[in-house]
Amino acid sequence: MSKVPVLRVLVPFVAGIILHQWWHCWWAPIVLILVAIAAYLLLSRVSRSPQGRMRWRSWFIVPLAVIALSLGWIAAIIHCPPHLQESQRANRVLTGRVAELHYTDFSMRMTIDVLDKELPRCQVLISTRGCDYTMRAGDLVAWQADLVEIGSMGNPGEMDYASYLLDNKGIRYTQHLPLGQVVKVGYSLTLLTRLANIRRDLSLMVFNSRLAPATQQFVVALLLGDSSFIDKATRQDFSAAGVAHVLALSGLHVGFIALILWWLLFPLDYMRLKKLRLGITLAAIVMFAVFTGLSSSVVRATIMIGMVFASLVFYRRSVSLNALLLAALLILVFSPSSLYSVGFQLSFITVGAVLMFSRLPQFLVSKRQWVNKITSSAITSLVAMVATVALCAHYFHTISLMSVLTNLLVLPVLPVFMVLAAIFLMVTAAGMQWQALDWALDWIYRYIHGVAGWVNGLPLSHIGGVYVSAMGVVIYFIIIALVVLWLYRRSYHYLLAAGVALVVLIAHSLWIDASTPRRGMVIFNSFSSTPILYYDSGKAYVWTPDDEEPDSAAFSRYYAGFLARHCIDSLQMIAAGDSLRLEGLMIRPPYAYLMGHRMVAAGYGKWKRMSAERALDVNEVIVTKRFHGTAAKLQELYNADRLIISGAMHDPEPLLHECDSLNINYIDLATHGALIITND
């Protein structure tokens, strides 16, 4: 605590942010602050004498911690997106400023700052059918509001999209409507929207260049801070190889930029202008952080570098770990929801572990500097891997065992790529083209991607399908903390406690494994299809009646959490025209027999060819997104126990109203979530 005093404030501040998730209350933190102030005054009164100071000195940290906890609680309340009443978010025309804009093949997503004076300040997510490529950040738009609160799709093991947008983007409401219903009414540029437009223009220049598409995406991710263009397959390859951090702008890249600028400005030292050299470097890094959107990892690195430079200017000693914790505190003050961001967690945990444990042991020090650099890089990568292995397994369900090797091969060429990419941006902005520069960038990226692919092809390079619960992550970090305390204090009580925590972790994992059904069926709720998965003892069969060409890799990536939780290592996709017959399992589209349930998929049109004299008895009719018909017609052909209506249907309301009027039993996946059937 004495070496890193910021920790005394940061820990209770984080506790206050977490407490806000459980109790949304204004008066409680204010009361705590008043109580803490009263306690501080009382302690000051009773510790006036030397004996009193010695007796009560250690208690002064308690009111400080309570005040920090209350401030974290209040910060979370202030930055929490407001709840809107029904009258505020429906049946009215809203106006707003476009803050962010993203295009897909056939739609457009806009993050809009609502500017209505009668509404509290908030952001909403508007998606449109169709794209308007003339729309830019800063445009003022108006639309007929029918905002709905974002909810999770309800699939087992999936990422909670609602919590992601709420905690990371501050967005609670969304709306989907035709493109023509979003009307541009003017423009109102701010600094952030101007920078967003500059980034967009530069991105378009990169994408219109002669670089290979994959290289273009990598350049935009590293220098412009937009990694959304990188496809999921590439992300998975880099993640499995242990170098996913190079795909997103982070402190690593900011450090490279600082070193490059510091080296380029070395003549200022000879002119006795070292402080000017420090100031120019720091100003350039701050401008880069603002330009790329102020992500947590970039802000963290900028603050840490700023503190190091300040210590050099004022001739004070800088404690790197204290600077790291101060960076975390400043980010959480202005953005408490960053605490729940994967990037924030991985960034600070990695850097903290490296600062504490990456120092080269004395017995490994060599007389050759290049050997020391290689050894230090290997130890740093190993420490980072151990520190983040639980988080990576929890979020990505993959553990890379060769990350040390991959980093040793990739990181030395990354600064070269960044310098060449910066030159490429300047050359392209000037309207010129250098073929040699294009060739060099393409070659370096092919090398980096090739290394990731080669490492992934090595035996035991990574372990996929790993499932670690949130509780497992917490217990893992408790074990790490106890081991660290043992290393510093050399008290075997900490080591014993770490052993007990390890036993608890193993018991928790065994309980999860024992409580997970080995056989079952899931009808997933999906925007693109209605996949039906049947699994038994590690093998799974997926029928996607909405998709003519099922993609096994895409399905595995999207539902990785479910597959890992149920230890599914064999996945077979069944196309619309294929059939499969096993013991207790039959799929012959549009019919299927699974888990004792007789089902038919209504969507492709084959279901209409039924011409029996009486209705066919089935348990469920899967109404897919391609269904065009009525519930009455389905009941005429099939005597179904219930209809299961896909969450991907564009407008299911007429069908739902018809089911209600005819007293037809149904399940709407859009509101119900995935339908799970097990043998338990």
Side-chain angles (χ1 to χ4, degrees):
M1 287 287 188
S2 60
K3 294 183 179 179
V4 281
V6 179
L7 195 63
R8 303 175 182 178
V9 178
L10 179 62
V11 171
F13 193 90
V14 169
I17 296 174
I18 297 174
L19 188 60
H20 169 258
Q21 292 284 325
W22 299 333
W23 192 10
H24 302 270
C25 176
W26 268 102
W27 60 267
I30 296 176
V31 170
L32 285 177
I33 289 177
L34 295 177
V35 171
I37 293 175
Y40 182 83
L41 294 176
L42 180 62
L43 288 173
S44 300
R45 184 176 182 84
V46 300
S47 60
R48 289 181 177 178
S49 63
Q51 296 83 359
R53 281 195 294 271
M54 291 296 295
R55 183 178 180 181
W56 298 103
R57 182 177 60 180
S58 59
W59 288 90
F60 276 90
I61 194 174
V62 176
L64 176 64
V66 172
I67 291 175
L69 181 143
S70 303
L71 292 177
W73 197 343
I74 293 174
I77 292 173
I78 292 174
H79 291 88
C80 182
H83 285 278
L84 302 180
Q85 300 176 1
E86 182 68 26
S87 60
Q88 293 177 310
R89 55 188 172 94
N91 301 319
R92 61 185 300 169
V93 176
L94 291 180
T95 59
R97 181 192 298 113
V98 178
E100 294 181 7
L101 191 62
H102 296 282
Y103 296 100
T104 59
D105 292 337
F106 306 105
S107 63
M108 181 171 65
R109 290 184 293 111
M110 296 179 290
T111 301
I112 296 179
D113 295 317
V114 177
L115 301 178
D116 196 308
K117 294 181 180 179
E118 299 179 6
L119 269 64
R121 295 185 62 87
C122 61
Q123 285 189 330
V124 296
L125 181 65
I126 302 296
S127 58
T128 63
R129 295 190 295 276
C131 299
D132 181 1
Y133 294 102
T134 65
M135 193 80 72
R136 296 174 66 87
D139 286 343
L140 298 178
V141 295
W143 75 98
Q144 182 69 29
D146 188 17
L147 301 175
V148 296
E149 190 164 358
I150 302 172
S152 174
M153 297 182 69
N155 293 318
E158 74 174 356
M159 182 190 75
D160 191 341
Y161 185 64
S163 296
Y164 168 77
L165 287 178
L166 184 64
D167 295 333
N168 294 275
K169 302 290 185 179
I171 299 175
R172 190 184 295 275
Y173 297 99
T174 186
Q175 185 176 351
H176 183 71
L177 38 75
L179 179 62
Q181 295 184 13
V182 180
V183 182
K184 192 186 306 183
V185 295
Y187 62 92
S188 175
L189 294 177
T190 64
L191 174 61
L192 294 180
T193 55
R194 289 178 188 274
L195 294 176
N197 288 330
I198 293 174
R199 292 197 300 269
R200 178 189 176 187
D201 293 339
L202 291 175
S203 298
L204 290 176
M205 286 192 299
V206 174
F207 290 129
N208 290 328
S209 68
R210 294 183 298 182
L211 290 175
T215 311
Q216 294 172 353
Q217 298 164 5
F218 198 49
V219 170
V220 170
L222 291 193
L223 294 189
L224 301 179
D226 188 356
S227 60
S228 60
F229 298 100
I230 297 176
D231 60 273
K232 292 183 179 179
T234 301
R235 293 178 186 273
Q236 187 172 10
D237 289 342
F238 277 67
S239 177
V243 287
H245 55 278
V246 307
L247 292 177
L249 200 59
S250 65
L252 174 70
H253 308 89
V254 176
F256 285 151
I257 293 172
L259 289 175
I260 292 169
L261 290 173
W262 182 256
W263 180 79
L264 291 175
L265 295 172
F266 76 91
L268 292 177
D269 268 12
Y270 294 100
M271 302 169 62
R272 297 183 178 179
L273 296 174
K274 184 176 182 179
K275 292 185 179 180
L276 179 61
R277 184 185 182 188
L278 292 169
I280 294 175
T281 305
L282 181 59
I285 294 172
V286 171
M287 291 173 61
F288 179 76
V290 174
F291 176 71
T292 54
L294 295 172
S295 65
S296 296
S297 55
V298 174
V299 172
R300 182 260 306 159
T302 303
I303 294 175
M304 290 187 66
I305 293 173
M307 290 192 66
V308 172
F309 283 7
S311 66
L312 293 175
V313 170
F314 296 105
Y315 303 102
R316 295 290 188 271
R317 184 187 175 195
S318 173
V319 180
S320 300
L321 191 58
N322 208 40
L324 174 69
L325 298 177
L326 179 61
L329 181 61
L330 291 177
I331 291 173
L332 293 177
V333 166
F334 295 101
S335 178
S337 60
S338 296
L339 179 66
Y340 307 103
S341 168
V342 182
F344 179 90
Q345 296 171 10
L346 289 175
S347 174
F348 280 92
I349 289 173
T350 301
V351 177
V354 168
L355 290 177
M356 288 191 292
F357 300 107
S358 64
R359 192 174 298 174
L360 195 62
Q362 194 64 33
F363 67 90
L364 291 178
V365 175
S366 173
K367 295 181 180 179
R368 296 179 175 85
Q369 288 299 319
W370 65 271
V371 174
N372 290 333
K373 290 181 179 180
I374 293 176
T375 307
S376 179
S377 299
I379 291 177
T380 299
S381 299
L382 182 62
V383 168
M385 183 186 73
V386 173
T388 59
V389 62
L391 272 179
C392 290
H394 175 68
Y395 287 116
F396 311 119
H397 309 289
T398 301
I399 297 177
S400 175
L401 302 178
M402 295 288 184
S403 60
V404 176
L405 174 62
T406 317
N407 280 280
L408 287 176
L409 296 175
V410 167
L411 294 186
V413 304
L414 196 60
V416 179
F417 184 91
M418 294 185 66
V419 171
L420 294 179
I423 297 173
F424 167 81
L425 277 181
M426 292 185 288
V427 170
T428 305
M432 298 184 294
Q433 292 181 344
W434 290 356
Q435 186 174 359
L437 189 59
D438 297 344
W439 177 87
L441 287 172
D442 284 335
W443 186 89
I444 295 176
Y445 177 75
R446 283 198 299 269
Y447 166 78
I448 294 174
H449 201 174
V451 168
W454 172 72
V455 170
N456 287 337
L458 295 176
L460 300 177
S461 63
H462 64 278
I463 302 174
V466 180
Y467 180 82
V468 177
S469 66
M471 181 59 67
V473 174
V474 173
I475 297 174
Y476 177 82
F477 282 115
I478 290 175
I479 294 173
I480 294 295
L482 291 171
V483 171
V484 170
L485 288 173
W486 173 72
L487 290 174
Y488 278 94
R489 301 285 183 86
R490 292 299 178 180
S491 174
Y492 286 92
H493 293 90
Y494 296 116
L495 200 58
L496 179 61
V500 172
L502 179 60
V503 172
V504 173
L505 177 61
I506 295 173
H508 176 71
S509 301
L510 292 176
W511 176 81
I512 290 178
D513 186 65
S515 61
T516 302
R518 289 291 177 264
R519 180 172 177 265
M521 179 180 68
V522 181
I523 303 177
F524 288 98
N525 177 34
S526 171
F527 287 137
S528 59
S529 62
T530 312
I532 304 167
L533 180 143
Y534 169 80
Y535 64 95
D536 187 4
S537 302
K539 295 182 179 180
Y541 306 90
V542 181
W543 174 33
T544 53
D546 284 343
D547 289 341
E548 297 180 1
E549 297 180 0
D551 188 343
S552 175
F555 185 91
S556 298
R557 286 194 299 269
Y558 195 81
Y559 299 105
F562 177 84
L563 300 179
R565 171 73 182 264
H566 293 80
C567 301
I568 296 173
D569 52 14
S570 174
L571 189 67
Q572 180 178 343
M573 309 296 291
I574 303 169
D578 296 341
S579 298
L580 177 68
R581 184 184 293 273
L582 297 172
E583 183 179 355
L585 164 68
M586 188 277 291
I587 298 177
R588 190 176 63 187
Y591 305 103
Y593 179 79
L594 300 170
M595 299 285 295
H597 290 249
R598 296 182 299 276
M599 299 182 296
V600 60
Y604 270 102
K606 294 181 181 180
W607 60 275
K608 297 180 181 179
R609 301 174 189 174
M610 183 65 198
S611 58
E613 294 181 357
R614 64 182 181 84
L616 180 66
D617 291 332
V618 298
N619 297 108
E620 288 94 10
V621 174
I622 314 298
V623 183
T624 72
K625 69 175 182 179
R626 296 187 180 182
F627 174 76
H628 297 285
T630 63
K633 183 64 176 178
L634 288 174
Q635 285 299 93
E636 178 186 342
L637 296 177
Y638 304 103
N639 187 23
D641 296 337
R642 60 184 175 180
L643 305 185
I644 300 175
I645 302 174
S646 169
M649 290 192 70
H650 169 56
D651 186 14
E653 291 301 323
L655 185 63
L656 298 178
H657 289 315
E658 184 185 6
C659 290
D660 290 332
S661 62
L662 298 177
N663 292 322
I664 298 175
N665 189 24
Y666 69 89
I667 293 178
D668 180 15
L669 295 184
T671 56
H672 178 274
L675 179 63
I676 303 174
I677 301 172
T678 65
N679 58 350
D680 293 343

